């Protein structure tokens, strides 16, 4: 019989349902995150996953806010950073969704993993937005579906990958946060259905008149996914996708800038603003760590461009 989950409240720091060893481990996870944050958490995932082997198999339910609970296996190297209450996950997206609480948009959470952003964006403090969480991995999908259930079934889940067109692909990988269909058919793993973003319009899942925040975390097939969303990206959509720190060619950003009508926007820590990019050399300065991902935005929507301009203006006023 499975053990009930440990509970952790990020606001208060309260940890409930853990034994002494699990409490000690929680302190190690939080302290390790604080220390490793000074060098982009290099080595953290590996150390946390080693410690996890000494822990009983059970989940932890993290209260992200009063209306959002996120469950994952206790000791998971990728998500245990959340035990560090000062840790902020994907600051660029956090900035935009915090500023868009009153906007009537739908989150398309592509490569949703366990559903962190779907849980958060569908919660009351973030505006109770509609979300569709799309995840191809059977292993991850079970945890994603559980998080939808834990949060009252308030967001939709779909088990498939995102690509340039409908079809089937081979999903493989050794880390749940890095499963990919980019490895080809002979790389082990599992066969998964693939859909294009525009198929969500074709299938009546979403309307062309809506406003969308599209999070693309698709591990190496970002360009193919963008190609499959031509119609959707012509409307009031803003795309968020990953530029890997090790890619000095800035492949995704280069494609957005050179091959699409989308405006490319990046968060610049030097100015603390979301900057419109016309010259990719800015990414040489921003992408300082080779082992992490950096999020970039793309949008052809005047609505979202104006939102981002207003967000920058508000940030500037707060700093005065």
């Amino acid at each position: 019989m499975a053990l009930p989950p440990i509970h952790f409240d990020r606001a208060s720091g309260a940890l409930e349902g853990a034994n002494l060893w699990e409490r000690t481990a929680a302190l190690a996870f939080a302290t390790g995150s604080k220390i490793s944050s000074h060098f982009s958490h290099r080595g953290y995932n590996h150390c946390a996953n080693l410690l996890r082997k000494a822990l009983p198999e059970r989940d932890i339910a993290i209260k992200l806010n009063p209306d959002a609970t996120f469950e994952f296996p206790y000791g998971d190297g990728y998500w245990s950073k959340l035990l560090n209450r000062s840790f902020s996950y994907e600051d660029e997206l956090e900035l935009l969704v915090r500023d868009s609480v009153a906007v009537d948009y739908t989150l398309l959470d592509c490569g949703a993993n366990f559903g962190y952003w779907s849980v958060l964006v569908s919660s009351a403090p973030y505006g109770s937005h509609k979300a569709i969480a799309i995840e191809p991995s059977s292993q991850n999908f079970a945890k994603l579906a559980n998080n939808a259930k834990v949060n009252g079934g308030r967001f939709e889940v779909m088990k498939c990958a995102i690509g340039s067109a409908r079809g089937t692909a081979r999903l493989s990988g050794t880390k749940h946060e890095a499963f990919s269909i980019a490895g080809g058919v002979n790389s082990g793993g599992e066969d998964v259905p693939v859909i294009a973003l525009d198929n969500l319009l074709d299938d009546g899942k979403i309307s062309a008149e809506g406003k969308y925040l599209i999070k693309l975390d698709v591990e190496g097939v970002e360009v193919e996914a963008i190609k499959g969303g031509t119609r959707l990206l012509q409307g009031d959509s803003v795309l968020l996708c990953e530029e890997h720190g090790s890619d000095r060619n800035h492949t995704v950003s280069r494609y957005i800038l050179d091959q699409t009508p989308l405006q490319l926007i990046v968060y610049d820590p030097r100015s603390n603003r979301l900057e419109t990019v016309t010259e990719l050399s800015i990414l040489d300065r921003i992408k300082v760590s080779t082992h992490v991902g950096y999020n970039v935005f793309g949008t052809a929507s005047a609505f979202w461009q104006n939102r981002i301009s207003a967000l920058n203006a508000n940030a500037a006023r707060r700093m005065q």
Side-chain angles (χ1 to χ4, degrees):
M1 184 177 177
L3 292 167
I6 297 166
H7 290 267
F8 178 70
D9 189 327
R10 289 201 87 202
S12 68
L15 184 71
E16 299 176 354
N19 62 32
L20 181 59
W21 171 229
E22 289 165 334
R23 286 182 173 278
T24 304
L27 182 61
F29 291 134
T31 304
S33 173
K34 289 175 184 175
I35 293 170
S36 63
S37 67
H38 298 293
F39 36 92
S40 303
H41 287 97
R42 183 180 288 276
Y44 177 88
N45 290 21
H46 177 69
C47 292
N49 283 326
L50 283 176
L51 179 54
R52 177 184 176 184
K53 293 178 181 178
L55 296 167
E57 286 191 20
R58 64 189 304 196
D59 285 351
I60 183 166
I62 298 212
K63 197 171 188 180
L64 302 175
N65 66 45
D67 190 39
T69 299
F70 181 60
E71 283 194 13
F72 58 88
Y74 188 49
D76 177 82
Y78 188 79
W79 289 113
S80 289
K81 302 178 191 77
L82 292 170
L83 285 158
N84 168 14
R85 293 166 63 204
S86 62
F87 170 71
S88 179
Y89 182 62
E90 297 190 320
D91 290 330
E92 306 94 335
L93 185 51
E94 177 77 23
L95 202 63
L96 185 59
V97 297
R98 279 285 189 188
D99 190 67
S100 304
V101 169
V103 176
D104 183 14
Y105 73 85
T106 296
L107 172 67
L108 303 180
D109 191 0
C110 306
N113 189 260
F114 301 166
Y116 175 89
W117 282 111
S118 291
V119 168
L120 210 54
V121 161
S122 62
S123 71
Y126 281 73
S128 300
H129 296 286
K130 182 181 178 183
I132 302 175
I134 302 169
E135 171 58 43
S137 160
S138 296
Q139 175 185 318
N140 289 354
F141 187 81
K143 296 175 176 63
L144 170 64
N146 178 65
N147 275 316
K149 180 181 177 183
V150 164
N151 290 278
R154 66 186 181 212
F155 61 88
E156 185 177 350
V157 295
M158 294 177 63
K159 188 184 179 305
C160 56
I162 298 293
S164 60
R166 289 190 204 268
T168 303
R170 195 76 175 166
L171 182 79
S172 60
T174 57
K175 299 176 182 178
H176 70 72
E177 68 272 21
F179 289 140
S180 176
I181 61 170
V185 295
N186 298 316
S187 51
E190 62 177 308
D191 289 326
V192 296
V194 179
I195 65 166
L197 285 169
D198 282 346
N199 294 147
L200 296 171
L201 295 169
D202 301 332
D203 298 345
K205 287 283 185 185
I206 58 175
S207 161
E209 287 73 44
K211 293 180 174 65
Y212 301 99
L213 198 167
I214 306 165
K215 185 179 188 305
L216 269 188
D217 191 353
V218 290
E219 300 299 333
V221 291
E222 289 83 4
V223 169
E224 294 303 305
I226 294 168
K227 290 177 180 177
T230 304
R231 282 180 288 137
L232 182 59
L233 293 170
Q234 287 172 351
D236 279 329
S237 295
V238 58
L239 176 74
L240 178 87
C241 56
E242 186 178 80
E243 263 285 356
H244 203 277
S246 63
D247 179 7
R248 305 320 296 177
N249 189 49
H250 318 311
T251 303
V252 176
S253 294
R254 191 175 299 278
Y255 180 79
I256 291 173
L257 198 60
D258 295 346
Q259 304 295 328
T260 79
L262 307 179
Q263 187 178 80
L264 179 67
I265 299 163
V266 301
Y267 173 71
D268 186 352
R270 183 180 289 181
S271 64
N272 195 34
R273 290 166 49 90
L274 290 168
E275 302 283 8
T276 300
V277 175
T278 55
E279 173 50 56
L280 288 174
S281 59
I282 188 176
L283 291 171
D284 292 324
R285 173 170 58 79
I286 292 172
K287 291 163 63 174
V288 295
S289 297
T290 58
H291 70 289
V292 299
Y294 294 84
N295 287 319
V296 299
F297 295 94
T299 186
S301 163
F303 172 82
W304 284 110
Q305 290 167 4
N306 291 336
R307 292 289 314 175
I308 289 169
S309 295
L311 190 158
N312 284 333
N314 292 337
R317 281 194 292 270
R318 285 194 294 269
M319 292 179 68
Q320 289 174 351

